[in-house]
Amino acid sequence: MEDDHNNNGSGKGTLETGKADRSVWLMKCPLVVGKSWQSHAASQDSQPVAKVILSLDPLQSDDMQFTMEMTSTDGANMPKSYSLNMFKDFVPMSVFSETSQGKVAMEGKVEHKFDMKPHEKNIEEYGRLCRERTNRSMIKNRQIQVIDNDHGVHMRPMPGMVGLISSTSKDKKKPAPVKQSDVKRTRRDRGELEDIMFKLFERQPNWALKQLVQETDQPAQFLKEILNELCVYNKRGTNQGTYELKPEYKKSVEDGGAD
């Protein structure tokens, strides 16, 4: 068995640990930034995509502030400056890589974990970008093609089609309506759902979870994950049991409504 393991495809099944002690930063970035970096990587451009600036108060060594400046942006409303909020406590993690040949390597251990958000001076531009993406996501194309034959008329689904209609020369019983609770909700793209949430909070400042599930047609648990990042939950007061946007996001929505 030892010989089989050693001859299993040029080291396949062996973990490379030469970089195991290297420090790595883990960062959660907005969708628009991730797409920009992916396109940059596909172009094989060796120029830096961004630079990180560390601000430190000599009198308070624990007060460190990280910001990131993009070297280039895609689109007029894409923010160039971002705040990096560092997490103090997180589960120890490591980063691994795998080649197409199945070779696995340990790339390092996570030293810092960040949440990347548009800087305050860019929040208005980011709000415009979110509204543009929301408006585009609301547009649905419907195409229906009718095929005639001796057995009746059938509908063949086309790309973007959201409904089906069928009829034959013989009478058919109408299928029983499916209850909404029996329908399995499909998760939207995370960035697209965030844009829709901003649009909803433009309509009214407070929403109950049940209302948002009906408006977005998303699984409640998935929706809670988004709400915990974007909103605060009112446990008491006149708006008890509802969510409202955090102050940094609420400003963007209010400015967008004024536009």
Side-chain angles (χ1 to χ4, degrees), residues 53-70:
I53 302 172
L54 169 60
S55 301
L56 178 63
D57 187 347
L59 301 179
Q60 297 180 355
S61 58
D62 294 335
D63 185 17
M64 295 187 296
Q65 294 184 350
F66 294 86
T67 57
M68 176 176 287
E69 297 287 339
M70 302 284 288

Side-chain angles (χ1 to χ4, degrees), residues 105-117:
M106 191 171 179
E107 298 294 339
K109 58 183 179 182
V110 177
E111 179 183 8
H112 296 302
K113 184 179 178 183
F114 296 91
D115 187 9
M116 181 178 180
K117 296 182 180 180

Side-chain angles (χ1 to χ4, degrees), residues 48-209:
V49 294
K51 65 178 179 179
V52 177
I53 302 172
L54 169 60
S55 301
L56 178 63
D57 187 347
L59 301 179
Q60 297 180 355
S61 58
D62 294 335
D63 185 17
M64 295 187 296
Q65 294 184 350
F66 294 86
T67 57
M68 176 176 287
E69 297 287 339
M70 302 284 288
T71 56
S72 62
T73 57
D74 300 331
N77 292 330
M78 180 177 173
K80 190 173 182 180
S81 179
Y82 295 84
S83 299
L84 302 183
N85 300 325
M86 185 169 65
F87 290 87
K88 299 295 184 182
D89 300 316
F90 61 91
V91 178
M93 291 176 285
S94 297
V95 178
F96 297 85
S97 64
E98 182 178 6
T99 65
S100 57
Q101 291 78 26
K103 184 178 179 180
V104 181
M106 191 171 179
E107 298 294 339
K109 58 183 179 182
V110 177
E111 179 183 8
H112 296 302
K113 184 179 178 183
F114 296 91
D115 187 9
M116 181 178 180
K117 296 182 180 180
H119 200 272
E120 291 180 359
K121 65 181 181 181
N122 295 133
I123 198 69
E124 184 176 348
E125 288 80 0
Y126 186 66
R128 292 196 185 99
L129 181 63
C130 291
R131 289 192 293 275
E132 289 176 3
R133 290 193 313 188
T134 302
N135 293 334
R136 288 197 299 268
S137 66
M138 292 294 195
I139 301 175
K140 296 182 179 179
N141 297 323
R142 304 188 181 194
Q143 296 180 358
I144 298 177
Q145 182 174 351
V146 180
I147 303 175
D148 233 337
N149 57 33
D150 296 337
H151 301 289
V153 180
H154 302 274
M155 311 305 294
R156 186 171 68 186
M158 299 292 290
M161 182 174 173
V162 295
L164 290 174
I165 304 174
S166 63
S167 63
T168 63
S169 56
K170 298 180 181 180
D171 294 332
K172 288 187 176 181
K173 294 182 180 180
K174 293 183 178 180
V178 180
K179 295 181 180 179
Q180 186 65 27
S181 58
D182 297 333
V183 178
K184 184 177 180 181
R185 295 184 170 94
T186 304
R187 290 189 176 192
R188 287 179 175 268
D189 175 81
R190 195 179 187 92
E192 178 184 343
L193 180 56
E194 288 182 359
D195 295 342
I196 293 175
M197 297 293 289
F198 285 130
K199 201 74 174 179
L200 289 173
F201 279 100
E202 286 185 18
R203 286 169 44 187
Q204 64 184 53
N206 295 87
W207 289 87
L209 177 62

Side-chain angles (χ1 to χ4, degrees), residues 229-245:
E229 294 183 8
L230 303 181
C231 304
V232 293
Y233 182 72
N234 296 305
K235 297 182 178 179
R236 58 182 63 88
T238 57
N239 296 317
Q240 182 179 3
T242 64
Y243 290 88
E244 64 180 75
L245 287 176

